[in-house]
Each structure stands twice: as C-alpha cells, then as structure tokens.
Amino acid sequence: MSTAHILGFPRIGAHRELKFALERYWRERMSADAQAALLETGRALREAHWRSQRESGLTYVTVGDFAWYDHVLTTLAHVGGLPQRFGLDAQHLTLPQYFAMARGSDAQPAMEMTKWFDTNYHYLVPEYSPSTQFGAGVQWLFDEVDDAQRAGHRAKVALVGPLTLLWLGKERNGLADRLSLLPRLLPAYRALLERLRAQRIEWVQIDEPIFALDLPPAWRDAAAQAYAELAPHAPKLLVATYFGDASEHAARLAALPVAGLHIDAVRAPEQLDAFVEALEQTDKVLSCGIVDGRNVWRNDLDASLIRLRSAHQRLGARLWVGTSCSLLHAPVDLRNEAKLDGELRTWLAFAVQKTREVALLRDALTAGRESVAAEFDTARAAADARRTSTRIHNPLVKRRVDALTGEHATRRSSYASRAVAQRARFNLPLLPTTTIGSFPQTAEIRAARAAHKQGKISHLDYLEAMRSQIRIAIDRQRAYGLDVLVHGEAERNDMVEYFGELLWGFAITENGWVQSYGSRCVKPPLIYGDVYLPEPMTVGWVTYAQSLTDKPVKGMLTGPVTMLQWSFVRDDQPRAQTALQIALALREETVALERAGIGMIQIDEPALREGLPLKARDRAAYLAWAVRAFKVAASGVADDTQIHTHMCYSEFGDILPSIAALDADVISIETTRSNMELLSAFETFDYPNEIGPGIYDIHSPRVPGADEMAALLGLALERIPAERLWVNPDCGLKTRDWQQVDVALTGMVEAAKKTRAALQARVKPYATT
Ligand code: GLN
Ligand code: ZN
C-alpha cells in the first residue's frame, strides 16, 4: 500500500478563525481571556485539520505545519536562534514575546518580513550574528504531537530544515557566512528529532526547498554532513524539495542518509524520471507531489495516475503520493463557495478537496482505478468540460492575441520626442508633485462599499457616495498644491479584485482566503478563462475627478503582471499568454481613458519583481514576456499621453534594464525605507526616462517633516537630473488617515517648492541634458 500525505494544511481556518482570534488577542493587549480563546482556537483548528486529513483517507496527518504567526519564526522558537536583540529565552518563550518579535514592541522593531520563495506568503527573516546560539526551545511541537496521537491520528511531523532555516536568514553584526552556524545549529535539530523519535513519530518531513534554487556549492555540499549527523538520531526523514526543479541534485540527495525525498512534480514534472532513476536501486521512498498546492484547479486524476503508474512500476510501495508543496498557499474549502458559478465550481479543488485527491490517487495506484471509479469519472468529466467550455475559450480573444505584433508593444515615438509633446501639453513645473493613487480608505468608504455589495443602497446612491469621496480627495489635493492629481481609488477594495470583478475570465470567491503573513490574508481572484474587457472599468470615476479640476488627473490601473501574480491563474495555458490577454484588456482601457480626455495614465506593476523565477536560467524569458505585456497595455496611446508606472515592495536594482525597457514615461518607486539606497543602482545604470523616488514612507504612521523630505529629494538629485525627477510618496495612502496625509503631503509639496526654488536660483545646471 502506498502512502498518501500532504506537506501541510492551511492554518488560518476556513473562516479565518485564527486571524480573528489573533486580532482579538492583540487588541485586548494579550489579556488572559483572549489568550485562552486564542489557544483554544489554535487547538480546535489543528484538530479539525487533522480530522479532515484523516477522513480524506491520508495515511498520515501532518503535525508541525501550524504556527501562531509564521512557521519560520516558530522553527526558530523550536531550535533557539531567536534574534538576539530581543533578549529572549526560546525555552521559556511566551506568546507575547513571540508576537513582539513578529510585530515589534516599544523596545524593538519587528523582525523583517520577506516573501517565501516565489509565493505571496511572507515569512519573518531570521537574524544571525557571530554569537547566535541554538538550543532547546518551546514545547509547542511536542504538545501538538501528543494532541494528535491522543486523538488517534497517525502523525507525520513537518519541519523547516536546517539548511533552509539558515539560508533564509540575514547576516548581522559582522557575521560573514551564516552557513558557518550549521555546526551550532545541528545539535539543536538533533535534540528536537530525538524527542520526536521518543514520541514514536515514524516520519519527519524536513523541508529543504532551497534545493530548487541556484544553490552555491558550499550549501549543497553541506547537506551530506548535516543529514549524516541528524539521521541516526531521528525518526525516518523525508527531505522535501518544492517550488521547482531539484533534479540537478538528484544523485546528491539520493545519497543522503535519509529515508526518502519529496519532489514537486507540478512545477517541475520533468524531474520525476530523474528521481525515480536515482532512487530505484535504493530502499528509499520518493514522495511525488502531483496535486498542486499553489493553485485551485481540480486535479486531472487520470492524467496524474498515468504518470504515477510508471513510477509505481519501478518503486512499488516506495512511491508516495502527495501535494506539490504545503497547502498553505491554497484556500481551505470549496464547500464554502455557494455563490460561485456552478460549472466553474466543478473545475476547482481547495485544500480539503486536494487532500482527498491525494488519497484517491493513492487508492487508484494500489487498488486500481475501479476502486475509486466514481470519483475518477467525475474528475474526468470536469477536465473534459473545462477543456472545451465556451466559458473559458473565447475565439475573439485568441485571435486578438495572435494578431499582436511588435508594433503593439512599442510607443509611436521615442521617450525623447514624447517628452517634448508632453511638456508642451502639461506645462508642469520642475520637480512635479503627485501621489501614487489611493487616499485613505475610511470607515465611511468601507461602509458604503459593503452596503452596496449587500444591496442595501441603490447603485445611484453608491455612485454618489463614491463621487463625494472623489470630491473630498480632489479638494484636499488642491489644498496641498499638488501638480498632478488622482481620483483616490475609493471604489477599490483591492488593486486586483476590483478589476477581477469587471473583467470576463475572472471570478471572485467568497471565502478563498490565503494567509499572506500573520493574521493578514488575501483573497486572490481566479482567472479561469480568456480575459476580455466588456466595458471600460475606470473611465467614469477618473473623468468625474477630471471634471472638478484644471490640473491633470492621472488614470489608475493595475498592470498585467501584477494581476497575474496576485491571482490564481489558469494552468491550461502559459502564464505569458494570460498576461497578454490581460494586457489587451488594459490597452483598451487606456485608450478609452485617453479618448475621454485623460492625459496621464498610471499602470501599477508592484509585483513585476516578485514574479522573477527562482532559477537564473528562467529569468530572461520571464522578463521578456512581462515587459512585452506591460508595453502592450501601455502603447496604444498618443505621444502626448503620459504613461506612468509604479513599483514597490522589493529591491529591483538587479532588473533595472527591464524596468527601463518598460519605457514608461514616468516611474515612481519605493525608496524611503532604504534611505534612497535603491537609487545607488542608478549610478551605474542610467535610467533614461522620468522617475519619482518616494520621499514619504507611507508604511509608518509617522509623518516626516518637510526638511526631512527635502533632504531625501536632495539625495535623489545627486543621481537624477532635475528635469526627469518627480516628487511623490513611496506608495498609495490607503492605509493612512487623512490627518497624517494632510500634514505629510503639505510638507512634501513644501519640500518640492523649496528645492525647486534653490535649483532655479542656481545657474541651471541641467538645462542641456
Ligand atoms: N495605485 C495603488 C495605490 O495607490 C498602488 C498600490 C501598490 O503599489 N501596492 O494604492
Ligand atoms: Zn506601491
């Protein structure tokens, strides 16, 4: 009998129970009552998730995938190695202390957060210094194992592996190489694994996803030593790779003294053969991750079975069936989507359904397809319907994409000539001031949106509510003295979902929440079909704003790559193809805005950088189609229409040539948090068009003074000619309140004016560039 397992289950809860318990706990300042409620919520969620896995027919339930905030921080709490600046003792760590590291305290800023590989999940970044010590940690995991066993479950433990734990951290206080900490870290893992063995845990899945990266030789070589030290004292170890192709390490991993390996056969199907080959002559297990942990589509069980069978012939019961990665990245339960279109629903599987798929594949493998024929037949019918559904396939869209030529992805003239036309049209002052798009999302706005959604106010009342917000935003911007205004995005709950609701080919779920970090969840739209724009999406709002002022109002759109990156996307065509379809829809929108008299249009691409593939060899191809998609969206307009773009979140010094290749007339970027560090990349790379490095950090409630912002502007001027420099905040202002925004933007305009005056007083130093 083969084994069926998943790499992890979403911890947040089908109704975001963990989120609400956490937020209550924080709100009530860690009161005893709230703590008891939180502990109980965690316990109940774990138990419910184990029960669901067992009822689905999995061989093991997974323990250790739960975390109060983040699994990387929780792993640190297990093996010591907490950031030293907090001065905490891992062995006696309390929940308030755990959250102080995750969220910051009066004494210490929070740990840094960054994306977990190429997902939208953010982990807390370990901080390693020369004096970092590891050792015994919290009891949580052992207690969870006890709970699972007491409830009669067969438990497999999942843990972040030692190499990955070190890799994901940052070196501080002069530590030269965090890999040098491995000898200190291993005894802590060893002690942990020994205890799990004493608890009669049979298998520990030890996650080493870094084997899907371009791993430096020293790191990959360290695996042999690490696992030789751990394996003799541990339960059977299953070293899990995921998120990509690890086949270059197949022989090395197969030689580790561990009992099995897991591979991601969804992201990198071709590696299955290499690993079967590498393990065939051993007695080790190969766990084949064939059910997609990162997407929402129902598995084509028959197709999967064919692939598994050939591996099964060679490995027999040593072939395990699993999810590609943890289901952390999938929504919890499709049964909570009553409002979703009935046909679309038959094509989907969320975490609970995926768990069942894994068990079904195992059953078909060991007992024959007949033993689970009904469920296989349903899956086949769904797969067949999906392949041909007119809901998905729109010949018009396909024809349009096929008809795209290089011309569609190129502005009519070069930036230099466009700049001349745009200067003549807009007549902006030196260092023009603007914002990134959104203004505070007040309780009033949210209430109006909710009332509209629930049908409690009429469409016209909603329209008027939003228009009055636009009037407020325009009035305020006029009072600040900004040069280029925006309508404020009051009508948008989210920069992707808003468009997803208005485009064909997108669907919005009710409860398809996925943890982003801590208690924060996102509800990515689902792109299931050919994307098509039925009617303009933003023209009404923006032209209304423009009617209130003589200053230019910037139209505001989310770019094709960001829409793709922050949605669940089709798995039946390449991402590039979907991106181009979205781009075509956006191109129509930009043209409609232009026709309605809007002269500036911003196409946000904050997710362009995060879409970068994990392996260097795949990056050029990605950048090529991503840039092309943006340009298709942006190039339908005349020379004197000014295209802006905006990017934030990540360092993109390494992809500057591609950012320049977008050929946006103006780009605004986030630079304040790094104190303009990002701009140093512009010393070696001459960015050809206009640029607005943010001078107001919108992530913090703190409002900088005009002088502080002027100083940042001064730093920017050292690298960017004044003619091509814009003045703006780092990002949208939706999370701030009006009081902060009033002070900040008044100060920002003042900083721009002062700097402008100082520049003009000098002999025009940049006049000829
Ligand atoms: N225009 C968006 C806003 O201002 C951009 C948000 C983003 O870059 N994340 O909110
Ligand atoms: Zn931003």
Side-chain angles (χ1 to χ4, degrees), residues 280-331:
E280 192 170 10
Q281 303 302 328
T282 70
D283 55 1
K284 294 176 205 240
V285 154
L286 179 62
S287 161
C288 178
I290 198 152
V291 170
D292 194 348
R294 294 187 54 177
N295 215 330
V296 291
W297 305 106
R298 180 178 214 144
N299 192 278
D300 184 343
L301 295 175
D302 279 307
S304 296
L305 184 59
I306 290 171
R307 294 179 50 214
L308 287 170
R309 262 195 196 130
S310 64
H312 192 245
Q313 273 156 14
R314 295 169 67 183
L315 298 177
R318 288 192 286 125
L319 181 72
W320 287 20
V321 185
T323 50
S324 62
C325 58
S326 168
L327 295 169
L328 176 66
H329 314 288

Short mmCIF file of all heavy atoms in Angstrom, two decimals, residues 280-331:
data_model
loop_
_atom_site.label_atom_id
_atom_site.label_comp_id
_atom_site.label_asym_id
_atom_site.label_seq_id
_atom_site.Cartn_x
_atom_site.Cartn_y
_atom_site.Cartn_z
N GLU A 280 15.74 4.24 -7.63
CA GLU A 280 15.26 2.90 -7.94
C GLU A 280 16.07 1.81 -7.25
O GLU A 280 15.50 0.87 -6.69
CB GLU A 280 15.28 2.70 -9.47
CG GLU A 280 14.52 1.45 -9.89
CD GLU A 280 14.33 1.37 -11.39
OE1 GLU A 280 14.93 2.18 -12.12
OE2 GLU A 280 13.56 0.51 -11.83
N GLN A 281 17.38 1.96 -7.26
CA GLN A 281 18.23 0.90 -6.70
C GLN A 281 18.45 1.06 -5.20
O GLN A 281 19.34 0.45 -4.64
CB GLN A 281 19.59 0.89 -7.41
CG GLN A 281 19.53 0.73 -8.92
CD GLN A 281 18.81 -0.56 -9.33
OE1 GLN A 281 18.87 -1.57 -8.61
NE2 GLN A 281 18.09 -0.53 -10.45
N THR A 282 17.69 1.91 -4.56
CA THR A 282 17.86 2.09 -3.11
C THR A 282 16.63 1.52 -2.42
O THR A 282 15.76 0.94 -3.06
CB THR A 282 17.96 3.58 -2.76
OG1 THR A 282 16.67 4.17 -2.97
CG2 THR A 282 18.99 4.30 -3.61
N ASP A 283 16.58 1.71 -1.11
CA ASP A 283 15.34 1.30 -0.42
C ASP A 283 14.58 2.54 0.04
O ASP A 283 13.78 2.50 0.95
CB ASP A 283 15.67 0.39 0.77
CG ASP A 283 16.65 1.04 1.71
OD1 ASP A 283 17.07 2.21 1.45
OD2 ASP A 283 17.02 0.41 2.72
N LYS A 284 14.86 3.68 -0.61
CA LYS A 284 14.26 4.94 -0.16
C LYS A 284 12.92 5.22 -0.81
O LYS A 284 12.63 4.74 -1.90
CB LYS A 284 15.21 6.09 -0.45
CG LYS A 284 16.48 5.99 0.37
CD LYS A 284 17.45 7.08 0.01
CE LYS A 284 18.84 6.59 0.35
NZ LYS A 284 19.55 7.36 1.28
N VAL A 285 12.21 6.07 -0.13
CA VAL A 285 10.89 6.48 -0.56
C VAL A 285 11.00 7.69 -1.47
O VAL A 285 11.86 8.55 -1.26
CB VAL A 285 10.08 6.83 0.72
CG1 VAL A 285 8.99 7.81 0.43
CG2 VAL A 285 9.58 5.56 1.40
N LEU A 286 10.14 7.77 -2.49
CA LEU A 286 10.02 9.01 -3.26
C LEU A 286 8.58 9.49 -3.14
O LEU A 286 7.64 8.82 -3.54
CB LEU A 286 10.35 8.78 -4.74
CG LEU A 286 10.21 10.05 -5.59
CD1 LEU A 286 11.17 11.14 -5.15
CD2 LEU A 286 10.41 9.74 -7.08
N SER A 287 8.43 10.67 -2.57
CA SER A 287 7.11 11.27 -2.48
C SER A 287 6.93 12.18 -3.68
O SER A 287 7.70 13.12 -3.88
CB SER A 287 7.00 12.06 -1.17
OG SER A 287 5.93 12.97 -1.25
N CYS A 288 5.93 11.87 -4.48
CA CYS A 288 5.70 12.63 -5.71
C CYS A 288 4.60 13.65 -5.48
O CYS A 288 3.44 13.29 -5.29
CB CYS A 288 5.33 11.66 -6.83
SG CYS A 288 4.97 12.49 -8.38
N GLY A 289 4.96 14.91 -5.48
CA GLY A 289 3.98 15.98 -5.25
C GLY A 289 3.24 16.28 -6.54
O GLY A 289 3.69 17.07 -7.36
N ILE A 290 2.11 15.64 -6.70
CA ILE A 290 1.44 15.71 -8.00
C ILE A 290 0.13 16.51 -7.94
O ILE A 290 -0.45 16.86 -8.95
CB ILE A 290 1.22 14.28 -8.54
CG1 ILE A 290 0.95 14.32 -10.04
CG2 ILE A 290 0.11 13.56 -7.77
CD1 ILE A 290 1.35 13.07 -10.77
N VAL A 291 -0.33 16.81 -6.73
CA VAL A 291 -1.52 17.64 -6.58
C VAL A 291 -1.03 19.06 -6.24
O VAL A 291 -0.32 19.25 -5.25
CB VAL A 291 -2.46 17.08 -5.49
CG1 VAL A 291 -3.56 18.07 -5.17
CG2 VAL A 291 -3.04 15.74 -5.94
N ASP A 292 -1.41 20.01 -7.04
CA ASP A 292 -0.86 21.36 -6.96
C ASP A 292 -1.24 22.06 -5.65
O ASP A 292 -2.42 22.31 -5.39
CB ASP A 292 -1.39 22.17 -8.17
CG ASP A 292 -0.62 23.46 -8.38
OD1 ASP A 292 0.15 23.84 -7.48
OD2 ASP A 292 -0.81 24.09 -9.44
N GLY A 293 -0.24 22.38 -4.85
CA GLY A 293 -0.50 23.06 -3.58
C GLY A 293 -0.69 24.56 -3.73
O GLY A 293 -1.03 25.24 -2.78
N ARG A 294 -0.44 25.07 -4.92
CA ARG A 294 -0.42 26.53 -5.08
C ARG A 294 -1.50 27.04 -5.98
O ARG A 294 -1.53 28.23 -6.32
CB ARG A 294 0.94 26.96 -5.61
CG ARG A 294 2.01 26.69 -4.58
CD ARG A 294 3.33 27.24 -4.99
NE ARG A 294 3.27 28.65 -5.32
CZ ARG A 294 4.33 29.35 -5.65
NH1 ARG A 294 5.51 28.78 -5.67
NH2 ARG A 294 4.22 30.63 -5.96
N ASN A 295 -2.37 26.16 -6.44
CA ASN A 295 -3.41 26.65 -7.32
C ASN A 295 -4.73 26.01 -6.93
O ASN A 295 -4.79 25.23 -5.98
CB ASN A 295 -3.04 26.39 -8.78
CG ASN A 295 -3.54 27.52 -9.69
OD1 ASN A 295 -4.56 28.15 -9.39
ND2 ASN A 295 -2.84 27.76 -10.76
N VAL A 296 -5.77 26.34 -7.62
CA VAL A 296 -7.12 25.97 -7.18
C VAL A 296 -7.81 24.98 -8.10
O VAL A 296 -8.99 24.70 -7.94
CB VAL A 296 -8.00 27.23 -7.08
CG1 VAL A 296 -7.55 28.10 -5.94
CG2 VAL A 296 -7.98 28.00 -8.40
N TRP A 297 -7.08 24.44 -9.08
CA TRP A 297 -7.73 23.59 -10.08
C TRP A 297 -7.86 22.17 -9.59
O TRP A 297 -6.99 21.64 -8.92
CB TRP A 297 -6.95 23.64 -11.40
CG TRP A 297 -6.81 25.04 -11.84
CD1 TRP A 297 -5.69 25.79 -11.80
CD2 TRP A 297 -7.87 25.90 -12.26
NE1 TRP A 297 -5.97 27.07 -12.20
CE2 TRP A 297 -7.30 27.16 -12.49
CE3 TRP A 297 -9.22 25.72 -12.49
CZ2 TRP A 297 -8.05 28.25 -12.93
CZ3 TRP A 297 -9.98 26.79 -12.92
CH2 TRP A 297 -9.39 28.05 -13.14
N ARG A 298 -8.96 21.57 -9.99
CA ARG A 298 -9.16 20.16 -9.72
C ARG A 298 -8.10 19.36 -10.48
O ARG A 298 -7.78 19.66 -11.61
CB ARG A 298 -10.55 19.78 -10.21
CG ARG A 298 -10.90 18.37 -9.99
CD ARG A 298 -12.33 18.14 -10.49
NE ARG A 298 -12.96 17.16 -9.66
CZ ARG A 298 -14.23 17.18 -9.31
NH1 ARG A 298 -15.02 18.15 -9.71
NH2 ARG A 298 -14.73 16.24 -8.55
N ASN A 299 -7.60 18.35 -9.84
CA ASN A 299 -6.57 17.54 -10.48
C ASN A 299 -7.20 16.67 -11.58
O ASN A 299 -8.28 16.12 -11.41
CB ASN A 299 -5.92 16.65 -9.42
CG ASN A 299 -4.66 15.98 -9.92
OD1 ASN A 299 -4.71 14.97 -10.59
ND2 ASN A 299 -3.52 16.58 -9.60
N ASP A 300 -6.49 16.58 -12.68
CA ASP A 300 -6.91 15.65 -13.74
C ASP A 300 -6.39 14.27 -13.31
O ASP A 300 -5.28 13.87 -13.63
CB ASP A 300 -6.30 16.10 -15.07
CG ASP A 300 -6.78 15.25 -16.23
OD1 ASP A 300 -7.31 14.14 -15.97
OD2 ASP A 300 -6.61 15.68 -17.38
N LEU A 301 -7.22 13.59 -12.53
CA LEU A 301 -6.74 12.38 -11.84
C LEU A 301 -6.24 11.32 -12.81
O LEU A 301 -5.24 10.65 -12.55
CB LEU A 301 -7.86 11.82 -10.96
CG LEU A 301 -8.30 12.71 -9.78
CD1 LEU A 301 -9.50 12.10 -9.07
CD2 LEU A 301 -7.16 12.94 -8.80
N ASP A 302 -6.93 11.17 -13.95
CA ASP A 302 -6.49 10.14 -14.89
C ASP A 302 -5.10 10.44 -15.42
O ASP A 302 -4.26 9.55 -15.53
CB ASP A 302 -7.50 10.00 -16.04
CG ASP A 302 -8.68 9.13 -15.63
OD1 ASP A 302 -8.43 8.01 -15.16
OD2 ASP A 302 -9.84 9.58 -15.76
N ALA A 303 -4.88 11.71 -15.75
CA ALA A 303 -3.56 12.08 -16.27
C ALA A 303 -2.50 11.86 -15.19
O ALA A 303 -1.41 11.36 -15.47
CB ALA A 303 -3.58 13.54 -16.72
N SER A 304 -2.83 12.21 -13.96
CA SER A 304 -1.87 12.02 -12.86
C SER A 304 -1.59 10.54 -12.65
O SER A 304 -0.44 10.14 -12.41
CB SER A 304 -2.40 12.62 -11.57
OG SER A 304 -2.55 14.01 -11.69
N LEU A 305 -2.64 9.75 -12.75
CA LEU A 305 -2.48 8.32 -12.50
C LEU A 305 -1.51 7.69 -13.50
O LEU A 305 -0.66 6.88 -13.14
CB LEU A 305 -3.84 7.63 -12.56
CG LEU A 305 -3.83 6.13 -12.23
CD1 LEU A 305 -3.28 5.88 -10.83
CD2 LEU A 305 -5.25 5.55 -12.35
N ILE A 306 -1.62 8.14 -14.75
CA ILE A 306 -0.72 7.60 -15.77
C ILE A 306 0.73 7.91 -15.40
O ILE A 306 1.60 7.05 -15.45
CB ILE A 306 -1.07 8.21 -17.15
CG1 ILE A 306 -2.41 7.64 -17.62
CG2 ILE A 306 0.03 7.92 -18.17
CD1 ILE A 306 -2.96 8.31 -18.85
N ARG A 307 0.95 9.12 -14.95
CA ARG A 307 2.33 9.50 -14.60
C ARG A 307 2.82 8.74 -13.37
O ARG A 307 3.97 8.33 -13.29
CB ARG A 307 2.42 11.00 -14.38
CG ARG A 307 2.15 11.76 -15.68
CD ARG A 307 2.21 13.26 -15.50
NE ARG A 307 3.42 13.64 -14.80
CZ ARG A 307 3.49 14.66 -13.95
NH1 ARG A 307 2.41 15.38 -13.70
NH2 ARG A 307 4.62 14.96 -13.37
N LEU A 308 1.91 8.58 -12.43
CA LEU A 308 2.32 7.89 -11.20
C LEU A 308 2.58 6.40 -11.48
O LEU A 308 3.48 5.80 -10.89
CB LEU A 308 1.24 8.02 -10.13
CG LEU A 308 1.10 9.40 -9.49
CD1 LEU A 308 -0.16 9.46 -8.63
CD2 LEU A 308 2.33 9.72 -8.63
N ARG A 309 1.78 5.83 -12.37
CA ARG A 309 1.90 4.39 -12.61
C ARG A 309 3.29 3.98 -13.05
O ARG A 309 3.83 2.99 -12.57
CB ARG A 309 0.88 3.95 -13.67
CG ARG A 309 -0.36 3.38 -13.04
CD ARG A 309 -1.20 2.63 -14.06
NE ARG A 309 -2.53 2.42 -13.53
CZ ARG A 309 -3.65 2.71 -14.18
NH1 ARG A 309 -3.59 3.26 -15.40
NH2 ARG A 309 -4.82 2.48 -13.62
N SER A 310 3.87 4.77 -13.95
CA SER A 310 5.18 4.33 -14.44
C SER A 310 6.21 4.42 -13.31
O SER A 310 7.11 3.59 -13.21
CB SER A 310 5.60 5.12 -15.68
OG SER A 310 5.76 6.46 -15.34
N ALA A 311 6.06 5.41 -12.45
CA ALA A 311 6.97 5.49 -11.30
C ALA A 311 6.67 4.34 -10.32
O ALA A 311 7.58 3.76 -9.72
CB ALA A 311 6.82 6.83 -10.60
N HIS A 312 5.39 4.01 -10.21
CA HIS A 312 4.98 2.97 -9.28
C HIS A 312 5.52 1.60 -9.72
O HIS A 312 5.90 0.78 -8.89
CB HIS A 312 3.45 2.94 -9.20
CG HIS A 312 2.91 2.12 -8.09
ND1 HIS A 312 2.16 0.99 -8.29
CD2 HIS A 312 3.02 2.25 -6.74
CE1 HIS A 312 1.84 0.47 -7.12
NE2 HIS A 312 2.34 1.22 -6.17
N GLN A 313 5.55 1.40 -11.04
CA GLN A 313 6.09 0.13 -11.52
C GLN A 313 7.54 -0.05 -11.07
O GLN A 313 7.97 -1.17 -10.81
CB GLN A 313 6.02 0.08 -13.05
CG GLN A 313 4.68 -0.45 -13.53
CD GLN A 313 4.35 0.01 -14.94
OE1 GLN A 313 5.23 0.51 -15.66
NE2 GLN A 313 3.10 -0.15 -15.33
N ARG A 314 8.25 1.04 -10.99
CA ARG A 314 9.68 0.92 -10.64
C ARG A 314 9.92 1.00 -9.14
O ARG A 314 10.89 0.46 -8.64
CB ARG A 314 10.47 2.00 -11.38
CG ARG A 314 10.40 1.75 -12.90
CD ARG A 314 10.94 2.91 -13.71
NE ARG A 314 12.37 3.11 -13.51
CZ ARG A 314 13.05 4.11 -14.09
NH1 ARG A 314 12.43 4.96 -14.87
NH2 ARG A 314 14.34 4.24 -13.86
N LEU A 315 9.06 1.69 -8.41
CA LEU A 315 9.33 1.89 -6.98
C LEU A 315 8.38 1.13 -6.07
O LEU A 315 8.63 0.99 -4.87
CB LEU A 315 9.26 3.39 -6.63
CG LEU A 315 10.26 4.31 -7.34
CD1 LEU A 315 10.00 5.76 -6.94
CD2 LEU A 315 11.69 3.92 -7.00
N GLY A 316 7.27 0.68 -6.62
CA GLY A 316 6.29 -0.03 -5.80
C GLY A 316 5.80 0.85 -4.66
O GLY A 316 5.59 2.05 -4.84
N ALA A 317 5.64 0.25 -3.50
CA ALA A 317 5.08 0.98 -2.37
C ALA A 317 6.01 2.09 -1.88
O ALA A 317 5.63 2.88 -1.01
CB ALA A 317 4.77 0.02 -1.23
N ARG A 318 7.22 2.13 -2.42
CA ARG A 318 8.11 3.23 -2.03
C ARG A 318 7.72 4.54 -2.70
O ARG A 318 8.30 5.58 -2.43
CB ARG A 318 9.55 2.88 -2.37
CG ARG A 318 10.13 1.80 -1.45
CD ARG A 318 11.63 1.68 -1.63
NE ARG A 318 12.00 1.03 -2.87
CZ ARG A 318 12.82 1.56 -3.78
NH1 ARG A 318 13.35 2.75 -3.58
NH2 ARG A 318 13.11 0.91 -4.88
N LEU A 319 6.76 4.47 -3.59
CA LEU A 319 6.26 5.71 -4.18
C LEU A 319 5.13 6.25 -3.31
O LEU A 319 4.13 5.58 -3.09
CB LEU A 319 5.73 5.47 -5.60
CG LEU A 319 5.21 6.76 -6.26
CD1 LEU A 319 6.36 7.68 -6.65
CD2 LEU A 319 4.36 6.43 -7.49
N TRP A 320 5.31 7.45 -2.80
CA TRP A 320 4.26 8.12 -2.04
C TRP A 320 3.56 9.13 -2.96
O TRP A 320 4.16 9.66 -3.89
CB TRP A 320 4.85 8.90 -0.87
CG TRP A 320 5.34 8.08 0.27
CD1 TRP A 320 5.68 6.75 0.28
CD2 TRP A 320 5.58 8.56 1.60
NE1 TRP A 320 6.12 6.37 1.52
CE2 TRP A 320 6.07 7.47 2.37
CE3 TRP A 320 5.44 9.79 2.23
CZ2 TRP A 320 6.40 7.60 3.72
CZ3 TRP A 320 5.78 9.92 3.57
CH2 TRP A 320 6.25 8.82 4.31
N VAL A 321 2.32 9.41 -2.60
CA VAL A 321 1.59 10.43 -3.35
C VAL A 321 1.37 11.62 -2.43
O VAL A 321 0.97 11.44 -1.27
CB VAL A 321 0.23 9.90 -3.83
CG1 VAL A 321 -0.47 10.94 -4.70
CG2 VAL A 321 0.40 8.59 -4.60
N GLY A 322 1.63 12.81 -2.94
CA GLY A 322 1.49 13.99 -2.08
C GLY A 322 1.07 15.23 -2.84
O GLY A 322 0.86 15.20 -4.06
N THR A 323 0.95 16.32 -2.09
CA THR A 323 0.75 17.62 -2.72
C THR A 323 2.13 18.15 -3.13
O THR A 323 3.14 17.76 -2.55
CB THR A 323 0.11 18.61 -1.74
OG1 THR A 323 0.86 18.59 -0.52
CG2 THR A 323 -1.33 18.22 -1.46
N SER A 324 2.15 19.06 -4.09
CA SER A 324 3.44 19.56 -4.58
C SER A 324 4.21 20.26 -3.47
O SER A 324 5.41 20.14 -3.36
CB SER A 324 3.21 20.50 -5.76
OG SER A 324 2.45 21.62 -5.35
N CYS A 325 3.47 21.01 -2.65
CA CYS A 325 4.08 21.74 -1.54
C CYS A 325 3.01 21.81 -0.47
O CYS A 325 1.96 21.19 -0.60
CB CYS A 325 4.49 23.15 -2.00
SG CYS A 325 3.11 24.11 -2.64
N SER A 326 3.24 22.59 0.57
CA SER A 326 2.21 22.75 1.60
C SER A 326 0.97 23.41 0.98
O SER A 326 1.08 24.24 0.09
CB SER A 326 2.74 23.62 2.73
OG SER A 326 1.67 24.00 3.57
N LEU A 327 -0.18 23.05 1.51
CA LEU A 327 -1.43 23.67 1.04
C LEU A 327 -1.65 25.05 1.67
O LEU A 327 -2.69 25.67 1.46
CB LEU A 327 -2.61 22.75 1.34
CG LEU A 327 -2.56 21.41 0.57
CD1 LEU A 327 -3.61 20.44 1.11
CD2 LEU A 327 -2.78 21.65 -0.92
N LEU A 328 -0.66 25.52 2.40
CA LEU A 328 -0.67 26.87 2.95
C LEU A 328 -1.08 27.91 1.91
O LEU A 328 -1.67 28.94 2.23
CB LEU A 328 0.75 27.18 3.44
CG LEU A 328 1.08 28.55 3.98
CD1 LEU A 328 0.33 28.80 5.28
CD2 LEU A 328 2.59 28.67 4.24
N HIS A 329 -0.75 27.62 0.66
CA HIS A 329 -0.96 28.61 -0.40
C HIS A 329 -2.30 28.45 -1.12
O HIS A 329 -2.56 29.16 -2.09
CB HIS A 329 0.20 28.51 -1.40
CG HIS A 329 1.53 28.46 -0.71
ND1 HIS A 329 2.08 29.57 -0.10
CD2 HIS A 329 2.38 27.44 -0.46
CE1 HIS A 329 3.23 29.22 0.47
NE2 HIS A 329 3.43 27.94 0.27
N ALA A 330 -3.11 27.54 -0.64
CA ALA A 330 -4.41 27.31 -1.27
C ALA A 330 -5.52 27.72 -0.31
O ALA A 330 -5.36 27.67 0.91
CB ALA A 330 -4.56 25.83 -1.64
N PRO A 331 -6.69 28.13 -0.83
CA PRO A 331 -7.84 28.38 0.05
C PRO A 331 -8.30 27.07 0.69
O PRO A 331 -7.94 25.99 0.21
CB PRO A 331 -8.91 28.92 -0.89
CG PRO A 331 -8.30 29.07 -2.23
CD PRO A 331 -6.99 28.35 -2.25
#
